[in-house]
Amino acid sequence: MTEMGNAVSAADADWRPSAEERPIGRSLWRGFKSRCPQCGEGRLFKSFVKSVDECGVCGLEVHHHRADDLPPYLTIFIVGHIVVAGFMGMEEAVELTMWQHLAIWVPVTILLSLALMQPLKGATIGLQWALKMGGFSDEPQPGEHRG
């Protein structure tokens, strides 16, 4: 599809990136937007953090990705830095009780964590695809049968 959502031309419909054409930045961004890292059109998730088995548009198999621990780690890292910096900044600027801080920072932590988990998992899948990791290689892995 084009930027405005119009019909796809025949040349664009047959376009698939070559084995060497897997730009990391584009793949990360597509994954971050919960889209297929290959075509950028198909949905990457069928539920909150459960990926589809394959792209509904280009057929890229996604079920074998290994985005297990990195997305939660990145979420904790990013949210932790935001919340700690916000807490410390607010502590210097305003006099609040610990209960008031808890009333502010616990919901902020939960909302930021929920907002970042899926995009970060998608970006991790996109990174794995771009780097041909976690089953996205062009050659079958030991014990894997393609065909």
Side-chain angles (χ1 to χ4, degrees):
M1 296 189 100
T2 62
E3 293 295 320
M4 302 305 283
N6 298 334
V8 177
S9 70
D12 289 338
D14 292 332
W15 179 85
R16 296 288 182 262
S18 67
E20 281 71 40
E21 191 177 340
R22 294 185 179 189
I24 293 175
R26 184 180 71 193
S27 302
L28 282 169
W29 182 242
R30 286 176 174 177
F32 191 81
K33 296 188 308 182
S34 299
R35 296 291 171 205
C36 171
Q38 180 168 279
C39 69
E41 297 293 323
R43 294 177 53 95
L44 197 52
F45 297 101
K46 57 184 167 186
S47 62
F48 182 59
V49 289
K50 178 72 173 158
S51 63
V52 295
D53 291 332
E54 66 182 34
C55 176
V57 176
C58 69
L60 174 70
E61 292 183 6
V62 182
H63 62 86
H64 47 65
H65 71 79
R66 302 302 300 161
D68 300 324
D69 295 336
L70 184 61
Y73 173 79
L74 292 174
T75 301
I76 291 167
F77 184 80
I78 293 168
V79 171
H81 278 80
I82 292 170
V83 169
V84 169
F87 173 84
M88 291 174 66
M90 189 172 279
E91 185 67 20
E92 285 295 317
V94 181
E95 184 74 30
L96 295 176
T97 67
M98 191 54 64
W99 286 109
Q100 290 169 322
H101 277 294
L102 285 172
I104 294 168
W105 297 110
V106 169
V108 168
T109 301
I110 292 169
L111 292 174
L112 280 175
S113 297
L114 291 174
L116 285 174
M117 184 61 73
Q118 187 182 54
L120 289 174
K121 183 167 183 173
T124 302
I125 294 171
L127 179 67
Q128 289 178 352
W129 177 79
L131 297 177
K132 300 179 182 181
M133 298 169 56
F136 290 113
S137 173
D138 294 331
E139 288 117 31
Q141 302 299 312
E144 179 183 14
H145 302 286
R146 292 187 184 179

